[in-house]
Amino acid sequence: MKLAQDTSRPPLEYVKGVPLIKSFAEGLGSLESFQARPDDLLISTYPKAGTTWISHILDMIYQGGDLEKCNRDPIFTRVSFLEFCVPGVPSGMETLQDIPAPRLIKTHLPLALLPQTVLEQKVKVVYVARNPKDVAVSYYHFYRMAKIHPEPGTWDSFLEKFMAGEVSYGFWYQHVREWWELSHTHPVLYLFYEDMKENPKREILKVLEFVGRSLPEETVDHIVQHTSFEEMKNNSLCNYSSVPLHIMDHSISPFMRKGIIGDWKTAFTVAQNERFDADYAEKMAGCNLTFHS
Ligand code: A3P
């Protein structure tokens, strides 16, 4: 483990044109030694799309719905965050070493930075997409509390950066599009946060089928119950409350913030919304993905 250093709000660092949290960018080289296994399951998302939610769902599925087994570790240890690298905290590659197969691994990387071994080993991917307006709002509050990001500035300036792809992991638009395109040639289950909110049981059944498992109906109901926003918010193993303060400050904004569809309406002005919609239409032209917001 490296020594703890000052991690307060360094600027993003570009790798192959993609802006990343500086320490993640610096640690990315270590992913060259990553060897995917055919029985790995990769959770892929653009940040703030519901990564933690689907991670807990998948771990509960893998543990047969046994909450005691899920209580073995916090979510960020049960599901390794592949590119995570912050001085003084075990990296994603380090936590991966302690995870028995079949492994659950999460990433936010765009395809340009994804280790090729994932594709070569035909690793199954569960991708979750969320409407970009709620993502932008959630990301703004996450930037405020997760101090490994640069200062977010005002909401207005952050929204401009989001549209310009000048936030960590770059363009949301490109991310959701390229993983959607990949789903035509690679085993990707492409889910939407809004569908999960609308009918979590239906979406969990899709996940079960995709990972080739089945569980009794009462176990599925139990998973639905224990992966609800309220349960996860109050579960210290899911809500990131154990993360050191110099990385996340929940007094600024909790990680489990609102967990709703349409919170953007409380943040966007009419002018911001019109500008966003026009920009969205340009960037998503020719793409048949539709989002509910
Ligand atoms: P909000 O900030 O809009 O509340 P990620 O895990 O990808 O970082 O995403 C975090 C977002 O997902 C946050 O959104 C968080 O509240 C929401 N979230 C986490 N668990 C959830 C759940 N069980 N149900 C609904 N939303 C959830």
Side-chain angles (χ1 to χ4, degrees), residues 41-58 107-108 125-131 135 172 175-177 179-180 188-197 203 207 289 291:
L41 191 290
L42 186 72
I43 295 165
S44 170
T45 58
Y46 188 83
K48 312 324 287 175
T51 329
T52 315
W53 188 9
I54 194 71
S55 296
H56 191 42
I57 288 173
L58 271 156
T107 187
H108 298 309
V125 179
V126 175
Y127 187 88
V128 182
R130 185 182 190 185
N131 83 76
V135 167
W172 172 89
H175 205 282
V176 295
R177 286 182 78 146
W179 283 90
W180 175 242
V188 178
L189 178 66
Y190 202 100
L191 300 175
F192 295 90
Y193 177 96
E194 292 74 22
D195 290 344
M196 290 167 62
K197 282 295 289 187
E203 301 306 302
V207 175
L289 277 173
F291 288 88

Side-chain angles (χ1 to χ4, degrees), residues 48-53 130 138 193 197 227-229 232 255-259:
K48 312 324 287 175
T51 329
T52 315
W53 188 9
R130 185 182 190 185
S138 181
Y193 177 96
K197 282 295 289 187
T227 56
S228 71
F229 178 76
M232 286 182 61
F255 182 91
M256 294 286 170
R257 203 179 55 88
K258 289 192 182 174

Side-chain angles (χ1 to χ4, degrees), residues 108-156:
H108 298 309
L109 291 173
L111 292 179
L113 299 178
L114 186 74
Q116 276 303 304
T117 173
V118 170
L119 303 179
E120 288 160 6
Q121 294 298 320
K122 304 215 173 342
V123 169
K124 284 186 182 177
V125 179
V126 175
Y127 187 88
V128 182
R130 185 182 190 185
N131 83 76
K133 294 177 184 174
D134 283 337
V135 167
V137 174
S138 181
Y139 213 177
Y140 173 63
H141 292 292
F142 187 53
Y143 252 65
R144 290 174 56 231
M145 66 86 74
K147 296 172 180 173
I148 49 178
H149 297 98
E151 284 288 352
T154 62
W155 158 242
D156 193 56

